[in-house]
Amino acid sequence: MPPAPELPCPFRNCGRKFYNSSGRTQHVNVVHRELTPPPNVDERGEEHAFVYHRHPVLTGKPCDDHGNNLPQYSPPVPEAPKTAPGSWHPLEDRIAFDFAYHEFVVQKGSEGSTNQALDIWAAAVRKHGGEIPWENSKAMYALLDEIQHGSCSWNSLKMRWNGPLPENPPKWMTETYELCLRDSRKLLHQQLRTPDFKGKTRYVAFRQFDEQGNRVWSDLMSSDWAWKQANQIAADHPNDAPGATFIPIVAGSDKTTVSVATGHQMFHPVYMGPGSITNTARRAHGNGMLPVGFLPIPKVTSHEQKDPEFAKFARQLYHTCLALIFEPLKPGMTEPEIVRCPDGHLRRVFYGLGPYIADYPEQVYLAGIVQGWCPKCDANPKALDAKGALRRSHQKTDILMEFFDTGVLWSDFGVRCDYKPFTYHFPRADIHELLSPDLLHQVIKGTFKDHIVTWVYEYLVATEGEAAAKAKQADIDRRISVVPIYPGLRRFPEGRNFEQWTGNDSKALMKVYLACIVGYVPARMVQCLSAFLDFCYIARQNSLSTADLAKLEDALQRFHELRDVFIDAGVRDSISLPRQHSLVHYARSIRLFGSPNGLCSSITESKHIVAVKKPWRCSSRYHALCQMLRRILREEKLDAARQEFTKQGMMQFSTSVYTEMVQNGWVPEPLEDEDEEELLRDEDDLGPSVGPKVLSSIKLAKTTEPGYPTGLYDLATYIDSLATFPPAFRRFLWSINNPESERPTHTIPIDECPSFSGKIYVYHSAIAHYYAPSDLCGAGGMYHERIRSTPCWQKSFPRRDTVLVEVDEDLLGMRGMVVGRVFLFFSFKFQGQKYSCAFVHWLELHGQDPDSETGLWIVKPEFLGNQPSMAVVEVDCIARGAHLLPIFGNTPIPATLHFSQSLDVFRAFFVNRHIDHHAHQFIY
């Protein structure tokens, strides 16, 4: 049995104890850090606290089970456990639970593979006279169905055409359609009880301001819409609203194909989740969005699809199903009910239909408009971006229907009058307002991939001819393929020439495409793409201020002015495209709903994998939906049970260690509620980081690399830098002894520099931690990336990454930075102090401003005479990694050039500010 923990938490009233100081430090950083949202960081990296104005009526106060407000700091009202403490019911023990969880959730094993695993397990234990809990997989599944945790079962409703039937009715009129759904109210309660959302839930609508008084929009509860909904609830329900909580429902739907080979098998899932959680929590793979229904898909011939009667029926069926799915929540939209929240407290809650996530074809269905029109405004399809368009609303549509006939509504206003959107049935809901911006389909796949990338190739064809255009496109693809490596950057070995595009492919190509078309298209075309990228990266931030929205609208205006280059070049006759037009509504939508990255269809598309595609692959393909729904429910039960068992301390240690400890008399104790600690594995290149927020820091890898000489000149000879490394190293020692000197280090005569006889230890990487609130960060808003300098990366080629080194903290952006390429990470002791350093080759800025065509800074490798300009710097000077894009010029790229050689063969580079959101804000 392990020793008892003895080190107490230094915070009073905590009571936690730890085995070692490292565990205690991590606990303090995660649990007892300042519980305010990340502070603002201005252009100089200086932090300022936000100011918050919280709604004065719907204040989200905890209450008891009768709805009475609790005194401040009161503990949550205890909840009756579904099982006795320490019980694994209905499973036998930890071994049975871990086996079921591993087979069903982790491995997603089929019935056959589970039977095989059970047979092997049975053979192992029967040698010693033991028995296993189940004879076969069916017995295991039956027991899983008895789990009470996370139980929100599926039901089905059948419906059909109820109008008059013609003499020979088409099949769709006589078909029975099945809606699979579950109780949306019960599912929402299950999501709100998720302990992972503790500390990630906003119980009060708020307005956020930076030090300059600028409004800041981030999560949905910081939006104008949430504040307006709270005001309306307070006005309509003056007796019930004070102290209550408003919980908006974020929903989304999207058709998905699971198999083309077996006849385009399609499903139409609907997802929902609480809008009170943060955007980061909703994007994560968890309970933020769960399937609540599967809509029926009427299957007809292409001829029948054009039948107006069928089109009307299909839309009415669609909206009837959506109304039925959300019907259980309707009473709670006008009368509060008591709900348990992620922090364990009970609160009186009002519901409301919130933003709806959908791509354009789905938005057309939802809004009741004609294809080609905008679902948000009445702009004419022939000139969508013309000034003067007015916003749509249910009220406006009702007035139009009162005064105009069907033909005028269709042709002049783009309104279909054969059905009404499902939001008509719910209070405070208007689908035209609730449709959220869709970064994936409108910006990333739509405007970038489907429009700009396609138009660039069409321009080459129009100006060069088919053969020459293909040759230039092939060279653009080679340029893309030789872009230097960077953590998290998807590689394109064949350029952009691949058939199946995903959203991640488009995001990755967006990071490098700008530099790869320079020289092959007019400067205005490059500037057009640069303006669009500015718009895209601003829109994808986690939070946006008034100043950010001004920059967003400026970038959009520049993009609209510059995109006429495609018309002038003959690529387009006009540009009036619904997905591109949607960008006009982004500034208002951000004010309305907060940052778009928490309301993007990439969230629902990622849910397709776990809610549709994987369950379908595990099915027999015959009546697959029923099997899929059972699997979804069982996985949710196992996940919910695991969360409960974890809270009770029953998931500590490995299965074997836990079992042995219990046999020896150890009894697990409930754990304190706290965020799970995210551990940084040594092989991770990038990702979220744990810990308090700092602007940036960098540390060398945990272990030194064996095989390197430890003497200065022996090491210099080994790395083939005898002429540059010893002088740079000794001049660095001189700078240590002369910290106040203003003499340029490289001018110091080597005879004046100290000699060194100690040991030098080499590392192949360092980890940079920095504040990156626009990325998927960890506790405190921190992110990390690994910077590498190794002679043999992946056993095939050397890798020497580039970094940004701060040289003048008083200058902003690149004017206070210099780029260096790291040829060695090392540490040593001098005068009793340890130093962690990097040996870098400087790249100097070319010009005083960014390139006018791309908007990117240009750097060139620096040389002193015939020798590269090298220096030793402390790793603390490094801000983060840098990504360089070669300036390719007009010479075609050799087919034999490998991307690992690009930093060596090219003589000038763009500093890529589009590599991630943080770089886009940091490098300007």
CSV table of all heavy atoms in Angstrom, one decimal, residues 129-159:
chain,number,residue,atom,x,y,z
A,129,GLY,N,-9.7,-21.1,-11.3
A,129,GLY,CA,-11.0,-21.4,-10.7
A,129,GLY,C,-11.9,-20.2,-10.7
A,129,GLY,O,-12.9,-20.3,-10.0
A,130,GLY,N,-11.6,-19.1,-11.4
A,130,GLY,CA,-12.5,-17.9,-11.3
A,130,GLY,C,-13.5,-17.9,-12.5
A,130,GLY,O,-13.5,-18.7,-13.4
A,131,GLU,N,-14.4,-16.9,-12.4
A,131,GLU,CA,-15.4,-16.7,-13.4
A,131,GLU,C,-15.4,-15.2,-13.8
A,131,GLU,O,-15.0,-14.4,-13.1
A,131,GLU,CB,-16.8,-17.1,-12.9
A,131,GLU,CG,-16.9,-18.6,-12.7
A,131,GLU,CD,-16.9,-19.4,-14.0
A,131,GLU,OE1,-17.3,-18.8,-15.0
A,131,GLU,OE2,-16.6,-20.6,-13.9
A,132,ILE,N,-15.9,-15.0,-15.0
A,132,ILE,CA,-16.0,-13.6,-15.5
A,132,ILE,C,-17.5,-13.2,-15.4
A,132,ILE,O,-18.4,-14.0,-15.3
A,132,ILE,CB,-15.5,-13.4,-16.9
A,132,ILE,CG1,-16.3,-14.3,-17.9
A,132,ILE,CG2,-14.0,-13.8,-17.0
A,132,ILE,CD1,-15.9,-14.0,-19.4
A,133,PRO,N,-17.8,-11.9,-15.4
A,133,PRO,CA,-19.1,-11.4,-15.2
A,133,PRO,C,-20.1,-11.8,-16.3
A,133,PRO,O,-21.3,-11.9,-16.0
A,133,PRO,CB,-19.0,-9.9,-15.1
A,133,PRO,CG,-17.6,-9.6,-14.9
A,133,PRO,CD,-16.8,-10.7,-15.5
A,134,TRP,N,-19.7,-12.0,-17.5
A,134,TRP,CA,-20.6,-12.1,-18.6
A,134,TRP,C,-20.2,-13.3,-19.5
A,134,TRP,O,-19.0,-13.6,-19.7
A,134,TRP,CB,-20.7,-10.9,-19.5
A,134,TRP,CG,-20.8,-9.6,-18.7
A,134,TRP,CD1,-22.0,-9.2,-18.1
A,134,TRP,CD2,-19.9,-8.6,-18.5
A,134,TRP,NE1,-21.7,-8.0,-17.5
A,134,TRP,CE2,-20.5,-7.6,-17.7
A,134,TRP,CE3,-18.5,-8.4,-18.9
A,134,TRP,CZ2,-19.8,-6.5,-17.3
A,134,TRP,CZ3,-17.9,-7.3,-18.6
A,134,TRP,CH2,-18.5,-6.3,-17.8
A,135,GLU,N,-21.2,-14.0,-19.9
A,135,GLU,CA,-20.9,-15.2,-20.8
A,135,GLU,C,-20.5,-14.7,-22.2
A,135,GLU,O,-19.7,-15.3,-22.9
A,135,GLU,CB,-22.1,-16.1,-20.9
A,135,GLU,CG,-22.5,-16.8,-19.6
A,135,GLU,CD,-23.7,-17.7,-19.8
A,135,GLU,OE1,-24.2,-17.8,-20.9
A,135,GLU,OE2,-24.0,-18.4,-18.8
A,136,ASN,N,-21.2,-13.6,-22.7
A,136,ASN,CA,-20.9,-13.1,-24.0
A,136,ASN,C,-21.2,-11.6,-24.1
A,136,ASN,O,-21.6,-11.0,-23.0
A,136,ASN,CB,-21.8,-13.9,-25.0
A,136,ASN,CG,-23.3,-13.9,-24.6
A,136,ASN,OD1,-23.8,-12.9,-24.2
A,136,ASN,ND2,-23.9,-15.1,-24.8
A,137,SER,N,-21.1,-11.0,-25.2
A,137,SER,CA,-21.3,-9.6,-25.4
A,137,SER,C,-22.7,-9.2,-25.1
A,137,SER,O,-23.0,-8.1,-24.5
A,137,SER,CB,-20.8,-9.1,-26.8
A,137,SER,OG,-21.6,-9.8,-27.8
A,138,LYS,N,-23.7,-10.0,-25.5
A,138,LYS,CA,-25.1,-9.6,-25.3
A,138,LYS,C,-25.4,-9.5,-23.8
A,138,LYS,O,-26.1,-8.6,-23.4
A,138,LYS,CB,-26.0,-10.7,-25.9
A,138,LYS,CG,-26.0,-10.6,-27.4
A,138,LYS,CD,-27.0,-11.6,-28.0
A,138,LYS,CE,-27.0,-11.5,-29.5
A,138,LYS,NZ,-28.0,-12.4,-30.2
A,139,ALA,N,-24.8,-10.4,-23.0
A,139,ALA,CA,-25.0,-10.3,-21.5
A,139,ALA,C,-24.4,-9.0,-21.0
A,139,ALA,O,-24.9,-8.3,-20.1
A,139,ALA,CB,-24.4,-11.5,-20.8
A,140,MET,N,-23.2,-8.6,-21.5
A,140,MET,CA,-22.5,-7.4,-21.1
A,140,MET,C,-23.4,-6.1,-21.5
A,140,MET,O,-23.6,-5.2,-20.7
A,140,MET,CB,-21.2,-7.2,-21.8
A,140,MET,CG,-20.4,-6.0,-21.3
A,140,MET,SD,-18.7,-5.9,-22.0
A,140,MET,CE,-19.2,-5.0,-23.5
A,141,TYR,N,-23.9,-6.1,-22.7
A,141,TYR,CA,-24.7,-5.0,-23.2
A,141,TYR,C,-26.0,-4.9,-22.3
A,141,TYR,O,-26.4,-3.8,-22.0
A,141,TYR,CB,-25.2,-5.2,-24.6
A,141,TYR,CG,-24.0,-5.3,-25.6
A,141,TYR,CD1,-24.1,-5.9,-26.9
A,141,TYR,CD2,-22.8,-4.7,-25.3
A,141,TYR,CE1,-23.1,-5.9,-27.8
A,141,TYR,CE2,-21.7,-4.7,-26.2
A,141,TYR,CZ,-21.9,-5.3,-27.4
A,141,TYR,OH,-20.8,-5.4,-28.3
A,142,ALA,N,-26.6,-6.0,-22.0
A,142,ALA,CA,-27.8,-6.0,-21.1
A,142,ALA,C,-27.5,-5.3,-19.8
A,142,ALA,O,-28.3,-4.5,-19.2
A,142,ALA,CB,-28.4,-7.4,-20.9
A,143,LEU,N,-26.3,-5.6,-19.2
A,143,LEU,CA,-26.0,-5.0,-18.0
A,143,LEU,C,-25.7,-3.5,-18.1
A,143,LEU,O,-26.0,-2.7,-17.2
A,143,LEU,CB,-24.8,-5.7,-17.3
A,143,LEU,CG,-24.6,-5.6,-15.8
A,143,LEU,CD1,-25.8,-6.2,-15.1
A,143,LEU,CD2,-23.3,-6.2,-15.3
A,144,LEU,N,-25.1,-3.1,-19.2
A,144,LEU,CA,-24.8,-1.7,-19.5
A,144,LEU,C,-26.1,-0.9,-19.6
A,144,LEU,O,-26.2,0.3,-19.1
A,144,LEU,CB,-24.0,-1.5,-20.8
A,144,LEU,CG,-22.6,-2.1,-20.9
A,144,LEU,CD1,-21.9,-1.7,-22.2
A,144,LEU,CD2,-21.7,-1.7,-19.7
A,145,ASP,N,-27.1,-1.5,-20.1
A,145,ASP,CA,-28.4,-0.8,-20.2
A,145,ASP,C,-29.0,-0.5,-18.8
A,145,ASP,O,-29.9,0.3,-18.7
A,145,ASP,CB,-29.4,-1.7,-21.0
A,145,ASP,CG,-29.0,-1.8,-22.5
A,145,ASP,OD1,-28.3,-0.8,-23.0
A,145,ASP,OD2,-29.4,-2.7,-23.2
A,146,GLU,N,-28.6,-1.2,-17.8
A,146,GLU,CA,-29.1,-1.0,-16.5
A,146,GLU,C,-28.4,0.2,-15.7
A,146,GLU,O,-28.9,0.6,-14.7
A,146,GLU,CB,-29.0,-2.2,-15.6
A,146,GLU,CG,-29.8,-3.4,-16.1
A,146,GLU,CD,-29.6,-4.6,-15.2
A,146,GLU,OE1,-29.2,-4.5,-14.0
A,146,GLU,OE2,-29.8,-5.8,-15.7
A,147,ILE,N,-27.3,0.7,-16.3
A,147,ILE,CA,-26.6,1.9,-15.7
A,147,ILE,C,-27.6,3.1,-15.7
A,147,ILE,O,-28.2,3.4,-16.7
A,147,ILE,CB,-25.4,2.2,-16.5
A,147,ILE,CG1,-24.4,1.0,-16.4
A,147,ILE,CG2,-24.7,3.5,-15.9
A,147,ILE,CD1,-23.1,1.2,-17.2
A,148,GLN,N,-27.7,3.7,-14.5
A,148,GLN,CA,-28.6,4.8,-14.4
A,148,GLN,C,-28.0,6.2,-14.7
A,148,GLN,O,-28.6,7.1,-15.0
A,148,GLN,CB,-29.2,4.9,-12.9
A,148,GLN,CG,-30.0,3.7,-12.6
A,148,GLN,CD,-31.2,3.5,-13.5
A,148,GLN,OE1,-32.0,4.5,-13.7
A,148,GLN,NE2,-31.3,2.4,-14.2
A,149,HIS,N,-26.6,6.2,-14.6
A,149,HIS,CA,-25.9,7.5,-14.9
A,149,HIS,C,-26.1,7.8,-16.4
A,149,HIS,O,-26.0,7.0,-17.2
A,149,HIS,CB,-24.5,7.4,-14.5
A,149,HIS,CG,-24.2,6.9,-13.1
A,149,HIS,ND1,-24.3,7.8,-12.0
A,149,HIS,CD2,-23.8,5.7,-12.6
A,149,HIS,CE1,-24.0,7.1,-10.9
A,149,HIS,NE2,-23.7,5.9,-11.2
A,150,GLY,N,-26.3,9.1,-16.6
A,150,GLY,CA,-26.4,9.6,-18.0
A,150,GLY,C,-27.5,8.9,-18.8
A,150,GLY,O,-27.4,8.7,-20.0
A,151,SER,N,-28.6,8.6,-18.2
A,151,SER,CA,-29.6,7.8,-18.9
A,151,SER,C,-30.6,8.8,-19.5
A,151,SER,O,-31.4,9.5,-18.8
A,151,SER,CB,-30.3,6.9,-17.9
A,151,SER,OG,-31.4,6.2,-18.5
A,152,CYS,N,-30.6,9.0,-20.8
A,152,CYS,CA,-31.6,9.8,-21.5
A,152,CYS,C,-32.0,9.0,-22.8
A,152,CYS,O,-31.3,9.1,-23.8
A,152,CYS,CB,-31.0,11.1,-21.9
A,152,CYS,SG,-32.3,12.3,-22.5
A,153,SER,N,-33.0,8.2,-22.7
A,153,SER,CA,-33.3,7.2,-23.7
A,153,SER,C,-33.9,7.8,-24.9
A,153,SER,O,-34.4,8.9,-25.0
A,153,SER,CB,-34.3,6.2,-23.1
A,153,SER,OG,-35.5,6.8,-22.7
A,154,TRP,N,-33.8,7.0,-26.0
A,154,TRP,CA,-34.3,7.4,-27.3
A,154,TRP,C,-35.8,6.9,-27.5
A,154,TRP,O,-36.1,5.8,-27.1
A,154,TRP,CB,-33.4,6.9,-28.4
A,154,TRP,CG,-32.1,7.6,-28.5
A,154,TRP,CD1,-31.0,7.3,-27.8
A,154,TRP,CD2,-31.8,8.7,-29.3
A,154,TRP,NE1,-30.0,8.1,-28.1
A,154,TRP,CE2,-30.4,9.1,-29.0
A,154,TRP,CE3,-32.5,9.5,-30.2
A,154,TRP,CZ2,-29.8,10.1,-29.6
A,154,TRP,CZ3,-31.8,10.6,-30.8
A,154,TRP,CH2,-30.5,10.9,-30.5
A,155,ASN,N,-36.6,7.7,-28.2
A,155,ASN,CA,-37.9,7.3,-28.6
A,155,ASN,C,-38.1,7.6,-30.1
A,155,ASN,O,-37.3,8.2,-30.7
A,155,ASN,CB,-39.0,8.0,-27.8
A,155,ASN,CG,-38.8,7.8,-26.3
A,155,ASN,OD1,-38.9,6.7,-25.8
A,155,ASN,ND2,-38.5,8.9,-25.5
A,156,SER,N,-39.2,7.1,-30.6
A,156,SER,CA,-39.5,7.4,-32.0
A,156,SER,C,-41.0,7.8,-32.2
A,156,SER,O,-41.9,7.4,-31.4
A,156,SER,CB,-39.2,6.2,-32.9
A,156,SER,OG,-40.1,5.1,-32.6
A,157,LEU,N,-41.2,8.8,-33.1
A,157,LEU,CA,-42.5,9.2,-33.5
A,157,LEU,C,-42.7,9.0,-35.0
A,157,LEU,O,-41.8,9.3,-35.8
A,157,LEU,CB,-42.7,10.7,-33.2
A,157,LEU,CG,-42.7,11.1,-31.7
A,157,LEU,CD1,-42.7,12.6,-31.6
A,157,LEU,CD2,-43.8,10.4,-30.9
A,158,LYS,N,-43.8,8.4,-35.4
A,158,LYS,CA,-44.1,8.2,-36.8
A,158,LYS,C,-45.1,9.1,-37.3
A,158,LYS,O,-46.1,9.5,-36.6
A,158,LYS,CB,-44.5,6.7,-37.0
A,158,LYS,CG,-43.4,5.7,-36.6
A,158,LYS,CD,-43.9,4.3,-36.9
A,158,LYS,CE,-42.7,3.3,-36.5
A,158,LYS,NZ,-43.1,1.9,-36.8
A,159,MET,N,-44.9,9.6,-38.5
A,159,MET,CA,-45.8,10.6,-39.2
A,159,MET,C,-45.8,10.3,-40.7
A,159,MET,O,-44.9,9.7,-41.2
A,159,MET,CB,-45.3,12.0,-38.8
A,159,MET,CG,-43.9,12.3,-39.1
A,159,MET,SD,-43.3,13.8,-38.3
A,159,MET,CE,-43.1,13.3,-36.7
